[in-house]
Amino acid sequence: MNALAATNRNFKLASRLLGLDSKLEKSLLIPFREIKVECTIPKDDGTLASFVGFRVQHDNARGPMKGGIRYHPEVEPDEVNALAQLMTWKTAVAKIPYGGAKGGIGCDPSELSISELERLTRVFTQKIHDLIGIHTDVPAPDMGTGPQTMAWMLDEYSKFHGHSPAVVTGKPIDLGGSLGRDAATGRGVLFATEALLNEHGMSISGQRFAIQGFGNVGSWAAKLISEKGGKIVAVSDVTGAIKNKNGIDISGLLEHVEENRGIKGFDGADSIDTDSILVEDCDILVPAALGGVINRENANEIKAKFIIEGANHPTDPEADEILRRKGVVILPDIYANSGGVTVSYFEWVQNIQGFMWNEEKVNKELKTYMTRGFKDLKEMCTTHSCDLRMGAFTLGINRVAQATTIRGWGS
């Protein structure tokens, strides 16, 4: 089952729990707008190269649409549609005044030079600048993009519309980016984990964690969890996987990754097969890389008691069912990794106000939002006698449905 089919399935299940009528259900599911553009650039060697860019704007009932721009070879319409829909529910779960969107370009950023990436970003922005905006659709970084990409987008957009720092989030600090944004998704994972463990009368200290993915989300989550006394016993990234049952020195690993561009070769742990990271002996598993990594092939082998979804859609529906029967508690992506979009909202607010916050305020507000989000999610679980995933979906979908109905769109 691909990401779009899985997301639609979860929507249908939640819709049934909420008792939505078919007309409103259809209105919520169909994207507001789908954009597909050709982006042709001159490469450094003088040849021309063409790429396809996408932007799916899913829903704007609760506010401007919000979602990342990813550069990855496998960017395609169904995936972008699924992620745009997830952003609609995620922003509603977080109770921030946004809808959902997602975009990307089918390319391998590792095969493009910095100047080629800049030209590609600027051409893409030229093609969509009339369809995004501060109060319309606010892009952000995602896989394969970062603050520099947002700086190019902001600059290109500003050529047409004047200086507009709030049109993108995840920018460099010097262009109006927010303090705390870089760590936000990983810090949100920490706060979400604390809220879940607190519900079970536990704390992070002493728990054994395996983290799949050591990019922005995974590395920050590992750092912050280890600072709270959690023991990181296994880590993986695209270069390899390592484990140490006594706990990995995360500070040392971060230094190694900075110098070697990957965890491979780190001498403070034993090398293991990359695929085995998900089935390592641990208390809490944090998938923080690609989607669909937990599936029916490996779900039965998973030893963790809790799964915190740092990535988007890391667990297939078939695996969901297997893990539920095993008693594994899964904290779903649309809540667990919402720290990034929440601090993006803070950045947007600061840009509109023209008044920047200190990092302490950003982190304090993020904890408030994540703690409240978990409480709201659990209330939906109680109301509908459902698991955490359906609790999150019913919470998000219900909020969007209410906004849609009040506006008069669903009738």
Side-chain angles (χ1 to χ4, degrees):
M1 191 180 293
N2 70 16
L4 183 59
T7 305
N8 286 344
R9 175 184 178 276
N10 285 328
F11 172 83
K12 294 281 187 184
L13 291 171
S15 174
R16 205 171 300 148
L17 285 173
L18 291 166
L20 301 183
D21 67 61
S22 58
K23 198 171 181 182
L24 178 56
E25 191 178 89
K26 187 177 179 182
S27 167
L28 293 175
L29 208 50
I30 296 172
F32 172 78
R33 182 189 284 137
E34 296 184 41
I35 305 151
K36 181 179 180 181
V37 295
E38 180 194 23
C39 300
T40 301
I41 61 164
K43 296 195 75 179
D44 293 343
D45 63 7
T47 61
L48 293 178
S50 290
F51 304 90
V52 179
F54 301 94
R55 186 70 176 171
V56 173
Q57 298 171 328
H58 181 257
D59 192 279
N60 61 354
R62 299 182 62 258
M65 292 165 285
K66 188 86 186 76
I69 302 277
R70 57 174 51 185
Y71 288 0
H72 192 272
E74 293 173 18
V75 168
E76 49 84 31
D78 274 4
E79 182 199 42
V80 178
N81 253 298
L83 294 171
Q85 186 191 141
L86 285 172
M87 283 302 298
T88 297
W89 317 137
K90 185 185 296 186
T91 55
V93 168
K95 211 173 182 179
I96 54 180
Y98 285 142
K102 205 74 174 188
I105 300 175
C107 69
D108 185 346
S110 68
E111 293 182 358
L112 297 172
S113 69
I114 296 295
S115 59
E116 288 167 344
L117 285 169
E118 178 178 354
R119 289 195 287 274
L120 183 58
T121 302
R122 290 184 182 277
V123 168
F124 183 54
T125 308
Q126 288 165 18
K127 297 288 181 82
I128 66 168
H129 75 89
D130 277 335
L131 303 170
I132 62 173
I134 296 167
H135 301 292
T136 309
D137 179 4
V138 183
D142 200 285
M143 192 186 305
T145 60
Q148 182 59 68
T149 318
M150 295 303 103
W152 293 326
M153 284 198 81
L154 166 60
D155 184 65
E156 198 64 29
Y157 180 87
S158 296
K159 290 176 183 176
F160 297 95
H161 302 275
H163 184 55
S164 311
V167 75
V168 292
T169 58
K171 301 179 295 294
I173 300 295
D174 290 341
L175 288 180
S178 177
L179 294 170
R181 175 63 186 86
D182 189 44
T185 310
R187 193 177 296 278
V189 166
L190 169 75
F191 293 150
T193 306
E194 285 182 324
L196 177 64
L197 292 178
N198 186 55
E199 179 81 10
H200 289 263
M202 301 159 69
S203 69
I204 281 178
S205 182
Q207 301 297 325
R208 298 170 303 140
F209 289 78
I211 300 181
Q212 189 224 18
F214 207 68
N216 175 274
V217 181
S219 62
W220 274 108
K223 181 178 187 296
L224 296 167
I225 287 167
S226 65
E227 287 174 359
K228 286 279 187 176
K231 186 188 288 187
I232 314 298
V233 296
V235 172
S236 73
D237 69 3
V238 292
T239 68
I242 55 173
K243 75 171 183 179
N244 183 336
K245 67 178 182 180
N246 298 316
I248 296 166
D249 173 15
I250 296 301
S251 297
L253 181 58
L254 287 166
E255 286 178 17
H256 175 85
V257 169
E258 183 72 26
E259 292 170 12
N260 299 278
R261 301 186 71 179
I263 66 173
K264 188 178 181 181
F266 181 65
D267 58 12
D270 299 322
S271 179
I272 57 172
D273 181 64
T274 308
D275 292 335
S276 72
I277 185 78
L278 298 166
V279 298
E280 281 299 319
D281 185 22
C282 64
D283 302 310
I284 300 168
L285 173 63
V286 183
L290 291 169
V293 294
I294 300 174
N295 49 53
R296 62 186 175 193
E297 275 76 41
N298 59 18
N300 272 315
E301 307 303 316
I302 287 174
K303 300 174 182 68
K305 303 177 193 73
F306 299 93
I307 296 175
I308 315 293
E309 295 187 334
N312 289 316
H313 180 61
T315 312
D316 277 354
E318 297 95 328
D320 241 353
E321 184 59 29
I322 293 166
L323 292 164
R324 186 182 63 78
R325 288 200 301 265
K326 285 178 63 176
V328 178
V329 177
I330 302 175
L331 197 57
D333 51 358
I334 60 171
Y335 166 69
N337 69 25
S338 64
V341 73
T342 302
V343 175
S344 274
Y345 164 59
F346 299 162
E347 181 178 331
W348 182 74
V349 167
Q350 292 169 72
N351 293 158
I352 289 171
Q353 290 181 327
F355 182 81
M356 306 308 286
W357 303 354
N358 62 37
E359 191 166 358
E360 184 183 0
K361 179 177 172 66
V362 172
N363 294 339
K364 183 181 176 185
E365 290 290 339
L366 175 58
K367 184 164 189 176
T368 299
Y369 272 72
M370 295 299 297
T371 305
R372 182 189 66 195
F374 185 78
K375 179 173 170 288
D376 293 346
L377 190 163
K378 284 294 294 182
E379 284 176 5
M380 291 303 271
C381 291
T382 302
T383 300
H384 297 288
S385 302
C386 60
D387 63 13
L388 291 169
R389 190 179 306 285
M390 278 302 108
F393 268 89
T394 53
L395 176 62
I397 292 166
N398 190 50
R399 283 176 175 164
V400 179
Q402 286 180 333
T404 302
T405 303
I406 292 165
R407 281 176 175 263
W409 295 355
S411 56

